Amino acid sequence: MDVDSFRGLLTDAGRRAVDHATAALDAGRDPLAVAIDVRRDAGDLPREVIAAAITQARLRQRGRAKFGGAADRMWFTPDGVEQATRPEVAERRAFRFGGLADTWGRPARVADLCCGVGADLRALAAAGCAMTGFDRDPLTVEVARANIESLGITGATVECVDVETLDISGFE
């Protein structure tokens, strides 16, 4: 999956293709039959987007082990679903940052370096932090941005930058 095919998933037709593939795989359908059905029903979606939709459906199934039902609203990359912080761990960390607001009289400004698909951003937002995620992979950044939107995360942004070159002054 590349950035352009991922962006194709964010269209109405792309979302329908992901939903179709997810439902069919959840029903136990053979992955090859699912691919054929999605291709047939996808209209004029490019082949790359159709392939990405099927991949995304599989990733969402895997993501449920970590994120439960929220995985069905999330977007993943193969590495991202494996490397994403489990919600319990992210919440524990975020609680500590969120507690700084009382001490400082303002929300903590957190730089999430190598933010991946944005799993920690969700917990940090719930803890009242202001945060910016950073990752150097353009696809991962697009996925994290899509997760911010689909999960209704407020107060978060994601930037594409190599964190080794990043000036993190101004962050906690």
Short mmCIF file of all heavy atoms in Angstrom, two decimals, residues 90-157:
data_model
loop_
_atom_site.label_atom_id
_atom_site.label_comp_id
_atom_site.label_asym_id
_atom_site.label_seq_id
_atom_site.Cartn_x
_atom_site.Cartn_y
_atom_site.Cartn_z
N ALA A 90 -0.84 2.83 26.66
CA ALA A 90 -0.96 4.21 26.22
C ALA A 90 -1.72 5.04 27.26
O ALA A 90 -1.33 6.19 27.56
CB ALA A 90 -1.67 4.28 24.87
N GLU A 91 -2.77 4.48 27.84
CA GLU A 91 -3.55 5.20 28.84
C GLU A 91 -2.74 5.45 30.10
O GLU A 91 -2.83 6.53 30.70
CB GLU A 91 -4.83 4.42 29.17
CG GLU A 91 -5.84 4.44 28.03
CD GLU A 91 -6.93 3.39 28.16
OE1 GLU A 91 -7.03 2.72 29.23
OE2 GLU A 91 -7.67 3.21 27.19
N ARG A 92 -1.95 4.50 30.49
CA ARG A 92 -1.10 4.67 31.69
C ARG A 92 -0.11 5.81 31.49
O ARG A 92 0.06 6.66 32.35
CB ARG A 92 -0.38 3.35 31.99
CG ARG A 92 0.63 3.44 33.07
CD ARG A 92 0.00 3.16 34.41
NE ARG A 92 1.06 3.07 35.40
CZ ARG A 92 1.02 3.73 36.54
NH1 ARG A 92 0.00 4.48 36.84
NH2 ARG A 92 2.00 3.62 37.39
N ARG A 93 0.55 5.80 30.35
CA ARG A 93 1.50 6.88 30.04
C ARG A 93 0.80 8.22 29.96
O ARG A 93 1.29 9.22 30.48
CB ARG A 93 2.18 6.59 28.70
CG ARG A 93 3.51 5.94 28.86
CD ARG A 93 4.19 5.91 27.52
NE ARG A 93 3.99 4.56 27.03
CZ ARG A 93 4.31 4.13 25.85
NH1 ARG A 93 4.80 4.94 24.96
NH2 ARG A 93 4.13 2.89 25.51
N ALA A 94 -0.32 8.25 29.26
CA ALA A 94 -1.06 9.49 29.07
C ALA A 94 -1.55 10.05 30.40
O ALA A 94 -1.55 11.27 30.61
CB ALA A 94 -2.23 9.26 28.12
N PHE A 95 -1.95 9.19 31.32
CA PHE A 95 -2.39 9.62 32.63
C PHE A 95 -1.28 10.41 33.33
O PHE A 95 -1.54 11.44 33.96
CB PHE A 95 -2.81 8.39 33.47
CG PHE A 95 -3.15 8.72 34.89
CD1 PHE A 95 -4.38 9.27 35.21
CD2 PHE A 95 -2.24 8.48 35.91
CE1 PHE A 95 -4.70 9.58 36.53
CE2 PHE A 95 -2.55 8.78 37.23
CZ PHE A 95 -3.78 9.33 37.54
N ARG A 96 -0.06 9.95 33.19
CA ARG A 96 1.07 10.64 33.82
C ARG A 96 1.29 12.02 33.21
O ARG A 96 1.50 13.00 33.91
CB ARG A 96 2.32 9.79 33.72
CG ARG A 96 2.16 8.47 34.49
CD ARG A 96 3.35 7.61 34.40
NE ARG A 96 4.29 8.07 35.42
CZ ARG A 96 5.52 7.63 35.52
NH1 ARG A 96 5.98 6.74 34.68
NH2 ARG A 96 6.32 8.07 36.47
N PHE A 97 1.20 12.12 31.87
CA PHE A 97 1.33 13.42 31.22
C PHE A 97 0.15 14.32 31.56
O PHE A 97 0.31 15.51 31.82
CB PHE A 97 1.44 13.27 29.70
CG PHE A 97 2.81 12.92 29.22
CD1 PHE A 97 3.09 11.65 28.74
CD2 PHE A 97 3.82 13.87 29.22
CE1 PHE A 97 4.35 11.33 28.28
CE2 PHE A 97 5.09 13.55 28.77
CZ PHE A 97 5.37 12.28 28.31
N GLY A 98 -1.04 13.76 31.56
CA GLY A 98 -2.23 14.53 31.88
C GLY A 98 -2.18 15.11 33.28
O GLY A 98 -2.67 16.22 33.52
N GLY A 99 -1.57 14.40 34.21
CA GLY A 99 -1.45 14.87 35.59
C GLY A 99 -0.59 16.11 35.72
O GLY A 99 -0.69 16.84 36.71
N LEU A 100 0.25 16.37 34.75
CA LEU A 100 1.10 17.56 34.81
C LEU A 100 0.31 18.85 34.66
O LEU A 100 0.77 19.92 35.07
CB LEU A 100 2.18 17.48 33.71
CG LEU A 100 3.18 16.33 33.85
CD1 LEU A 100 4.08 16.27 32.63
CD2 LEU A 100 4.00 16.46 35.12
N ALA A 101 -0.88 18.78 34.08
CA ALA A 101 -1.70 19.97 33.89
C ALA A 101 -1.99 20.66 35.22
O ALA A 101 -1.95 21.90 35.31
CB ALA A 101 -3.00 19.61 33.17
N ASP A 102 -2.26 19.90 36.26
CA ASP A 102 -2.53 20.50 37.58
C ASP A 102 -1.28 21.20 38.12
O ASP A 102 -1.38 22.29 38.69
CB ASP A 102 -2.98 19.43 38.58
CG ASP A 102 -4.34 18.85 38.23
OD1 ASP A 102 -5.12 19.56 37.54
OD2 ASP A 102 -4.62 17.71 38.62
N THR A 103 -0.14 20.61 37.92
CA THR A 103 1.11 21.20 38.39
C THR A 103 1.45 22.48 37.64
O THR A 103 1.85 23.48 38.25
CB THR A 103 2.27 20.18 38.23
OG1 THR A 103 1.92 18.98 38.92
CG2 THR A 103 3.57 20.73 38.77
N TRP A 104 1.28 22.45 36.34
CA TRP A 104 1.70 23.57 35.50
C TRP A 104 0.59 24.58 35.23
O TRP A 104 0.85 25.66 34.72
CB TRP A 104 2.24 23.06 34.17
CG TRP A 104 3.48 22.26 34.29
CD1 TRP A 104 4.39 22.30 35.32
CD2 TRP A 104 3.97 21.30 33.39
NE1 TRP A 104 5.40 21.41 35.09
CE2 TRP A 104 5.17 20.77 33.90
CE3 TRP A 104 3.49 20.79 32.18
CZ2 TRP A 104 5.92 19.81 33.26
CZ3 TRP A 104 4.24 19.83 31.53
CH2 TRP A 104 5.43 19.34 32.06
N GLY A 105 -0.63 24.21 35.48
CA GLY A 105 -1.75 25.10 35.19
C GLY A 105 -2.07 25.19 33.70
O GLY A 105 -2.73 26.13 33.25
N ARG A 106 -1.64 24.23 32.95
CA ARG A 106 -1.91 24.16 31.51
C ARG A 106 -1.73 22.72 31.06
O ARG A 106 -1.03 21.94 31.73
CB ARG A 106 -0.98 25.07 30.71
CG ARG A 106 0.48 24.67 30.82
CD ARG A 106 1.37 25.43 29.84
NE ARG A 106 2.77 25.15 30.05
CZ ARG A 106 3.39 24.04 29.65
NH1 ARG A 106 2.75 23.09 29.04
NH2 ARG A 106 4.68 23.87 29.88
N PRO A 107 -2.32 22.36 29.93
CA PRO A 107 -2.13 21.00 29.42
C PRO A 107 -0.67 20.75 29.03
O PRO A 107 0.03 21.67 28.59
CB PRO A 107 -3.01 20.93 28.18
CG PRO A 107 -3.97 22.06 28.32
CD PRO A 107 -3.27 23.11 29.11
N ALA A 108 -0.22 19.54 29.21
CA ALA A 108 1.12 19.16 28.78
C ALA A 108 1.16 19.17 27.25
O ALA A 108 0.21 18.75 26.59
CB ALA A 108 1.47 17.77 29.30
N ARG A 109 2.25 19.70 26.69
CA ARG A 109 2.47 19.65 25.24
C ARG A 109 3.41 18.47 24.98
O ARG A 109 4.56 18.51 25.38
CB ARG A 109 3.12 20.94 24.74
CG ARG A 109 2.15 22.11 24.75
CD ARG A 109 2.67 23.29 23.94
NE ARG A 109 2.74 22.94 22.53
CZ ARG A 109 3.86 23.07 21.79
NH1 ARG A 109 4.95 23.54 22.28
NH2 ARG A 109 3.84 22.72 20.51
N VAL A 110 2.88 17.45 24.32
CA VAL A 110 3.61 16.21 24.15
C VAL A 110 3.99 16.01 22.69
O VAL A 110 3.16 16.17 21.79
CB VAL A 110 2.75 15.01 24.63
CG1 VAL A 110 3.50 13.70 24.43
CG2 VAL A 110 2.34 15.19 26.07
N ALA A 111 5.25 15.67 22.48
CA ALA A 111 5.74 15.27 21.16
C ALA A 111 5.79 13.76 21.14
O ALA A 111 6.55 13.15 21.91
CB ALA A 111 7.13 15.85 20.89
N ASP A 112 4.96 13.15 20.32
CA ASP A 112 4.96 11.69 20.18
C ASP A 112 5.88 11.35 19.02
O ASP A 112 5.49 11.41 17.85
CB ASP A 112 3.53 11.20 19.93
CG ASP A 112 3.43 9.68 19.91
OD1 ASP A 112 4.47 9.00 20.03
OD2 ASP A 112 2.31 9.18 19.74
N LEU A 113 7.14 11.04 19.37
CA LEU A 113 8.15 10.75 18.36
C LEU A 113 7.94 9.34 17.81
O LEU A 113 7.73 8.40 18.58
CB LEU A 113 9.55 10.90 18.94
CG LEU A 113 9.83 12.23 19.63
CD1 LEU A 113 11.26 12.24 20.18
CD2 LEU A 113 9.62 13.40 18.68
N CYS A 114 8.01 9.21 16.50
CA CYS A 114 7.75 7.92 15.84
C CYS A 114 6.35 7.44 16.23
O CYS A 114 6.16 6.34 16.74
CB CYS A 114 8.81 6.90 16.17
SG CYS A 114 10.49 7.44 15.80
N CYS A 115 5.36 8.29 15.97
CA CYS A 115 3.99 8.07 16.46
C CYS A 115 3.27 6.90 15.82
O CYS A 115 2.23 6.47 16.31
CB CYS A 115 3.16 9.33 16.29
SG CYS A 115 2.78 9.77 14.58
N GLY A 116 3.80 6.38 14.73
CA GLY A 116 3.13 5.26 14.08
C GLY A 116 1.72 5.63 13.67
O GLY A 116 1.46 6.74 13.22
N VAL A 117 0.77 4.72 13.86
CA VAL A 117 -0.61 4.95 13.42
C VAL A 117 -1.40 5.82 14.38
O VAL A 117 -2.58 6.08 14.16
CB VAL A 117 -1.35 3.61 13.14
CG1 VAL A 117 -0.66 2.83 12.04
CG2 VAL A 117 -1.50 2.79 14.41
N GLY A 118 -0.76 6.30 15.45
CA GLY A 118 -1.41 7.26 16.34
C GLY A 118 -2.11 6.67 17.54
O GLY A 118 -2.95 7.35 18.15
N ALA A 119 -1.78 5.47 17.94
CA ALA A 119 -2.47 4.84 19.08
C ALA A 119 -2.28 5.62 20.37
O ALA A 119 -3.21 5.76 21.16
CB ALA A 119 -1.99 3.40 19.25
N ASP A 120 -1.08 6.16 20.60
CA ASP A 120 -0.85 6.95 21.82
C ASP A 120 -1.58 8.29 21.76
O ASP A 120 -1.97 8.82 22.80
CB ASP A 120 0.64 7.18 22.03
CG ASP A 120 1.34 5.95 22.56
OD1 ASP A 120 1.00 5.51 23.67
OD2 ASP A 120 2.24 5.44 21.86
N LEU A 121 -1.76 8.85 20.57
CA LEU A 121 -2.44 10.14 20.45
C LEU A 121 -3.85 10.08 21.01
O LEU A 121 -4.33 11.03 21.63
CB LEU A 121 -2.46 10.59 18.99
CG LEU A 121 -1.10 10.85 18.34
CD1 LEU A 121 -1.27 11.20 16.87
CD2 LEU A 121 -0.34 11.93 19.07
N ARG A 122 -4.50 8.97 20.81
CA ARG A 122 -5.87 8.78 21.31
C ARG A 122 -5.90 8.89 22.84
O ARG A 122 -6.72 9.59 23.41
CB ARG A 122 -6.36 7.42 20.83
CG ARG A 122 -7.73 7.05 21.26
CD ARG A 122 -8.08 5.70 20.67
NE ARG A 122 -9.27 5.16 21.29
CZ ARG A 122 -9.65 3.92 21.19
NH1 ARG A 122 -8.95 3.08 20.48
NH2 ARG A 122 -10.74 3.51 21.77
N ALA A 123 -4.98 8.20 23.49
CA ALA A 123 -4.94 8.23 24.95
C ALA A 123 -4.49 9.59 25.47
O ALA A 123 -5.03 10.08 26.48
CB ALA A 123 -4.00 7.13 25.46
N LEU A 124 -3.54 10.21 24.81
CA LEU A 124 -3.06 11.53 25.23
C LEU A 124 -4.18 12.57 25.14
O LEU A 124 -4.32 13.43 26.02
CB LEU A 124 -1.86 11.95 24.40
CG LEU A 124 -0.56 11.18 24.70
CD1 LEU A 124 0.45 11.37 23.58
CD2 LEU A 124 0.02 11.61 26.04
N ALA A 125 -4.98 12.50 24.09
CA ALA A 125 -6.11 13.43 23.94
C ALA A 125 -7.11 13.23 25.08
O ALA A 125 -7.61 14.19 25.66
CB ALA A 125 -6.79 13.23 22.59
N ALA A 126 -7.40 11.98 25.41
CA ALA A 126 -8.34 11.69 26.48
C ALA A 126 -7.82 12.20 27.83
O ALA A 126 -8.61 12.56 28.71
CB ALA A 126 -8.62 10.19 26.55
N ALA A 127 -6.50 12.28 27.98
CA ALA A 127 -5.89 12.77 29.22
C ALA A 127 -5.77 14.29 29.23
O ALA A 127 -5.27 14.87 30.20
CB ALA A 127 -4.53 12.12 29.42
N GLY A 128 -6.22 14.94 28.15
CA GLY A 128 -6.22 16.40 28.11
C GLY A 128 -4.93 17.03 27.64
O GLY A 128 -4.71 18.22 27.83
N CYS A 129 -4.07 16.25 27.01
CA CYS A 129 -2.80 16.78 26.53
C CYS A 129 -2.96 17.42 25.15
O CYS A 129 -3.84 17.04 24.38
CB CYS A 129 -1.77 15.65 26.42
SG CYS A 129 -1.40 14.85 27.99
N ALA A 130 -2.09 18.36 24.87
CA ALA A 130 -1.95 18.90 23.51
C ALA A 130 -0.78 18.14 22.90
O ALA A 130 0.28 18.03 23.53
CB ALA A 130 -1.66 20.39 23.56
N MET A 131 -0.96 17.59 21.72
CA MET A 131 0.11 16.74 21.22
C MET A 131 0.32 16.89 19.73
O MET A 131 -0.59 17.25 18.98
CB MET A 131 -0.12 15.28 21.56
CG MET A 131 -1.29 14.64 20.88
SD MET A 131 -2.47 14.20 22.08
CE MET A 131 -3.91 14.97 21.68
N THR A 132 1.56 16.58 19.35
CA THR A 132 1.93 16.51 17.95
C THR A 132 2.65 15.18 17.77
O THR A 132 3.58 14.86 18.51
CB THR A 132 2.87 17.67 17.55
OG1 THR A 132 2.23 18.90 17.86
CG2 THR A 132 3.19 17.61 16.07
N GLY A 133 2.18 14.41 16.79
CA GLY A 133 2.85 13.16 16.45
C GLY A 133 3.82 13.43 15.32
O GLY A 133 3.56 14.26 14.44
N PHE A 134 4.92 12.74 15.35
CA PHE A 134 5.94 12.86 14.31
C PHE A 134 6.33 11.47 13.83
O PHE A 134 6.52 10.56 14.63
CB PHE A 134 7.20 13.55 14.85
CG PHE A 134 6.97 14.95 15.34
CD1 PHE A 134 6.75 15.20 16.69
CD2 PHE A 134 6.98 16.02 14.45
CE1 PHE A 134 6.54 16.49 17.15
CE2 PHE A 134 6.77 17.32 14.91
CZ PHE A 134 6.55 17.55 16.26
N ASP A 135 6.42 11.32 12.53
CA ASP A 135 6.92 10.08 11.95
C ASP A 135 7.56 10.44 10.61
O ASP A 135 7.15 11.40 9.97
CB ASP A 135 5.79 9.07 11.74
CG ASP A 135 6.31 7.64 11.75
OD1 ASP A 135 7.00 7.24 10.79
OD2 ASP A 135 6.05 6.93 12.75
N ARG A 136 8.54 9.66 10.19
CA ARG A 136 9.22 10.00 8.94
C ARG A 136 8.64 9.30 7.72
O ARG A 136 8.95 9.65 6.59
CB ARG A 136 10.71 9.71 9.04
CG ARG A 136 11.05 8.25 9.05
CD ARG A 136 12.54 8.06 9.09
NE ARG A 136 12.85 6.64 9.13
CZ ARG A 136 14.05 6.17 9.23
NH1 ARG A 136 15.07 6.99 9.28
NH2 ARG A 136 14.25 4.88 9.25
N ASP A 137 7.75 8.33 7.94
CA ASP A 137 7.17 7.59 6.82
C ASP A 137 5.89 8.27 6.36
O ASP A 137 4.93 8.37 7.14
CB ASP A 137 6.88 6.15 7.23
CG ASP A 137 6.23 5.37 6.12
OD1 ASP A 137 6.84 5.26 5.04
OD2 ASP A 137 5.10 4.89 6.31
N PRO A 138 5.83 8.74 5.11
CA PRO A 138 4.64 9.45 4.64
C PRO A 138 3.34 8.65 4.74
O PRO A 138 2.30 9.21 5.10
CB PRO A 138 4.97 9.79 3.18
CG PRO A 138 6.46 9.79 3.11
CD PRO A 138 6.89 8.74 4.10
N LEU A 139 3.38 7.35 4.46
CA LEU A 139 2.17 6.54 4.57
C LEU A 139 1.71 6.46 6.02
O LEU A 139 0.52 6.63 6.32
CB LEU A 139 2.40 5.13 4.01
CG LEU A 139 1.23 4.16 4.19
CD1 LEU A 139 -0.04 4.68 3.53
CD2 LEU A 139 1.61 2.78 3.66
N THR A 140 2.63 6.24 6.92
CA THR A 140 2.28 6.14 8.33
C THR A 140 1.67 7.45 8.83
O THR A 140 0.70 7.45 9.60
CB THR A 140 3.52 5.77 9.17
OG1 THR A 140 4.03 4.51 8.67
CG2 THR A 140 3.20 5.63 10.63
N VAL A 141 2.21 8.57 8.38
CA VAL A 141 1.66 9.88 8.75
C VAL A 141 0.23 10.02 8.24
O VAL A 141 -0.66 10.47 8.97
CB VAL A 141 2.57 11.01 8.22
CG1 VAL A 141 1.89 12.36 8.33
CG2 VAL A 141 3.89 11.01 8.98
N GLU A 142 -0.02 9.62 7.00
CA GLU A 142 -1.39 9.68 6.45
C GLU A 142 -2.34 8.81 7.26
O GLU A 142 -3.48 9.20 7.53
CB GLU A 142 -1.40 9.25 4.99
CG GLU A 142 -0.75 10.22 4.04
CD GLU A 142 -1.51 11.52 3.88
OE1 GLU A 142 -2.76 11.50 3.89
OE2 GLU A 142 -0.84 12.56 3.76
N VAL A 143 -1.88 7.64 7.66
CA VAL A 143 -2.71 6.73 8.46
C VAL A 143 -3.00 7.34 9.82
O VAL A 143 -4.14 7.31 10.30
CB VAL A 143 -2.05 5.34 8.57
CG1 VAL A 143 -2.76 4.46 9.58
CG2 VAL A 143 -2.00 4.66 7.20
N ALA A 144 -1.99 7.90 10.47
CA ALA A 144 -2.20 8.54 11.77
C ALA A 144 -3.18 9.70 11.66
O ALA A 144 -4.07 9.87 12.51
CB ALA A 144 -0.87 9.01 12.35
N ARG A 145 -3.05 10.50 10.60
CA ARG A 145 -3.99 11.62 10.40
C ARG A 145 -5.42 11.10 10.21
O ARG A 145 -6.37 11.68 10.73
CB ARG A 145 -3.56 12.46 9.21
CG ARG A 145 -2.34 13.30 9.48
CD ARG A 145 -1.86 14.01 8.23
NE ARG A 145 -0.70 14.84 8.51
CZ ARG A 145 0.14 15.27 7.59
NH1 ARG A 145 -0.05 14.97 6.30
NH2 ARG A 145 1.17 16.02 7.93
N ALA A 146 -5.55 10.03 9.46
CA ALA A 146 -6.88 9.45 9.24
C ALA A 146 -7.46 8.92 10.56
O ALA A 146 -8.66 9.04 10.80
CB ALA A 146 -6.81 8.34 8.20
N ASN A 147 -6.61 8.37 11.42
CA ASN A 147 -7.08 7.88 12.72
C ASN A 147 -7.51 9.03 13.62
O ASN A 147 -8.48 8.90 14.36
CB ASN A 147 -6.03 7.00 13.39
CG ASN A 147 -6.01 5.61 12.81
OD1 ASN A 147 -7.03 5.11 12.35
ND2 ASN A 147 -4.86 4.98 12.81
N ILE A 148 -6.81 10.14 13.56
CA ILE A 148 -7.22 11.32 14.33
C ILE A 148 -8.65 11.70 13.95
O ILE A 148 -9.49 11.95 14.80
CB ILE A 148 -6.25 12.50 14.09
CG1 ILE A 148 -4.93 12.24 14.81
CG2 ILE A 148 -6.86 13.82 14.54
CD1 ILE A 148 -3.84 13.24 14.46
N GLU A 149 -8.90 11.72 12.65
CA GLU A 149 -10.23 12.09 12.17
C GLU A 149 -11.27 11.02 12.53
O GLU A 149 -12.33 11.33 13.07
CB GLU A 149 -10.22 12.32 10.66
CG GLU A 149 -11.57 12.74 10.13
CD GLU A 149 -11.57 12.94 8.63
OE1 GLU A 149 -10.53 13.34 8.08
OE2 GLU A 149 -12.62 12.70 8.01
N SER A 150 -10.98 9.77 12.22
CA SER A 150 -11.99 8.73 12.40
C SER A 150 -12.30 8.44 13.86
O SER A 150 -13.40 8.01 14.18
CB SER A 150 -11.59 7.44 11.67
OG SER A 150 -10.45 6.87 12.27
N LEU A 151 -11.34 8.70 14.74
CA LEU A 151 -11.57 8.47 16.17
C LEU A 151 -12.01 9.73 16.90
O LEU A 151 -12.23 9.71 18.11
CB LEU A 151 -10.30 7.90 16.82
CG LEU A 151 -9.89 6.52 16.33
CD1 LEU A 151 -8.51 6.15 16.86
CD2 LEU A 151 -10.92 5.47 16.70
N GLY A 152 -12.13 10.84 16.17
CA GLY A 152 -12.59 12.09 16.77
C GLY A 152 -11.60 12.68 17.77
O GLY A 152 -12.00 13.31 18.75
N ILE A 153 -10.31 12.49 17.52
CA ILE A 153 -9.28 13.02 18.42
C ILE A 153 -9.12 14.51 18.17
O ILE A 153 -8.94 14.94 17.04
CB ILE A 153 -7.94 12.29 18.18
CG1 ILE A 153 -8.09 10.80 18.50
CG2 ILE A 153 -6.83 12.92 19.02
CD1 ILE A 153 -6.89 9.96 18.09
N THR A 154 -9.21 15.28 19.23
CA THR A 154 -9.03 16.73 19.10
C THR A 154 -7.71 17.14 19.75
O THR A 154 -7.22 16.48 20.67
CB THR A 154 -10.19 17.50 19.75
OG1 THR A 154 -10.26 17.13 21.13
CG2 THR A 154 -11.51 17.20 19.07
N GLY A 155 -7.15 18.22 19.26
CA GLY A 155 -5.91 18.74 19.83
C GLY A 155 -4.67 18.02 19.38
O GLY A 155 -3.62 18.14 20.01
N ALA A 156 -4.76 17.26 18.31
CA ALA A 156 -3.60 16.50 17.83
C ALA A 156 -3.32 16.83 16.37
O ALA A 156 -4.24 17.04 15.58
CB ALA A 156 -3.83 15.00 17.96
N THR A 157 -2.05 16.88 16.04
CA THR A 157 -1.61 16.99 14.66
C THR A 157 -0.51 15.96 14.44
O THR A 157 0.08 15.46 15.40
CB THR A 157 -1.06 18.40 14.33
OG1 THR A 157 0.04 18.67 15.19
CG2 THR A 157 -2.13 19.47 14.50
#
